[in-house]
């Protein structure tokens, strides 16, 4: 199962989601079943590491890892089974990239939760802890969705 998380810059929300989801599937003993990555819709942060306040929030919750920001391409959409975006703007940007195609595998991460919502961008809100818990809720709900399907 190829799963990729997508946000705007690929230095805050989507690398947080990548590392949180990797940790979750590892705890479930399912790591060998997944290839988990992340991308940004923009090239603004290309080559940059995880934004330090995002990495600090992850570390406070015992989640460690690195990522280098990169921009999503059409090939990445084609090669993944699930493209999980953080907000409505990301969804529109990915659908613009695909010319409206592949909509059946592009979802807002929190659409799998009991409270579908956007994950606010902590780059602007500065609420990294809030983003962390929204992402945990989304990842847990997405994994439960997958487990119900197999
Ligand atoms: P992200 O946050 O999409 O969660 O990675 C952002 C990071 C950087 C910028 C915007 C959003 N930026 O404008 O550089």
């Amino acid at each position: 199962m190829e799963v990729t998380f997508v946000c705007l810059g690929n230095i805050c929300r989507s690398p947080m989601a990548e590392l949180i989801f990797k940790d979750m599937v590892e705890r479930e003993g399912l790591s060998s079943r997944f290839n988990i990555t992340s991308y940004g819709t923009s090239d603004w942060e290309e080559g940059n590491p995880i934004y330090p306040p995002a990495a600090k929030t992850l570390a406070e919750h015992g989640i460690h890892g690195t990522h280098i920001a990169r921009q999503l391409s059409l090939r990445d959409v084609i090669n993944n089974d699930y493209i999980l975006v953080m907000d409505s703007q990301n969804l529109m940007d990915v659908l613009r990239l695909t010319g409206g195609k592949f909509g059946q595998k592009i979802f807002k991460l929190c659409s799998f939760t009991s409270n579908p919502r956007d994950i606010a961008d902590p780059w602007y809100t500065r609420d990294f802890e809030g983003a962390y818990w929204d992402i945990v809720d989304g990842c847990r709900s997405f994994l439960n969705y997958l487990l119900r399907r197999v």
Side-chain angles (χ1 to χ4, degrees), residues 7-15 44-45 121-124:
C7 65
L8 175 58
N10 194 214
I11 59 168
C12 297
R13 293 164 296 173
S14 63
W44 302 344
E45 298 288 348
D121 194 337
W123 176 263
Y124 301 110

Side-chain angles (χ1 to χ4, degrees), residues 38-109:
S38 69
Y39 295 90
T41 56
S42 75
D43 64 359
W44 302 344
E45 298 288 348
E46 206 147 57
N48 288 337
I50 302 176
Y51 189 51
K56 178 169 173 279
T57 301
L58 289 174
E60 285 166 0
H61 292 282
I63 294 176
H64 302 274
T66 59
H67 179 76
I68 299 296
R70 61 225 176 127
Q71 186 176 23
L72 184 74
S73 72
L74 182 58
R75 178 167 299 277
D76 303 317
V77 175
I78 291 167
N79 287 343
N80 276 277
D81 300 304
Y82 285 94
I83 294 93
L84 302 174
V85 304
M86 301 298 134
D87 61 31
S88 302
Q89 184 64 52
N90 302 153
L91 185 60
M92 283 191 288
D93 289 340
V94 176
L95 286 171
R96 185 178 310 121
L97 176 71
T98 65
K101 285 192 254 176
F102 305 112
Q104 75 283 2
K105 59 181 184 175
I106 307 168
F107 301 91
K108 283 202 279 186
L109 179 57

Side-chain angles (χ1 to χ4, degrees), residues 12-13 16-17 19-21 23-24 27 53-64 86 109-110 117 119-120 122 125 127-140:
C12 297
R13 293 164 296 173
M16 289 175 80
L19 296 181
I20 288 167
F21 193 62
D23 178 72
M24 217 170 258
R27 286 167 191 277
K56 178 169 173 279
T57 301
L58 289 174
E60 285 166 0
H61 292 282
I63 294 176
H64 302 274
M86 301 298 134
L109 179 57
C110 282
R117 60 198 185 277
I119 298 178
T125 67
D127 183 6
F128 290 90
E129 185 71 12
Y132 173 85
W133 287 110
D134 280 347
I135 292 165
V136 167
D137 185 28
C139 286
R140 185 71 250 170

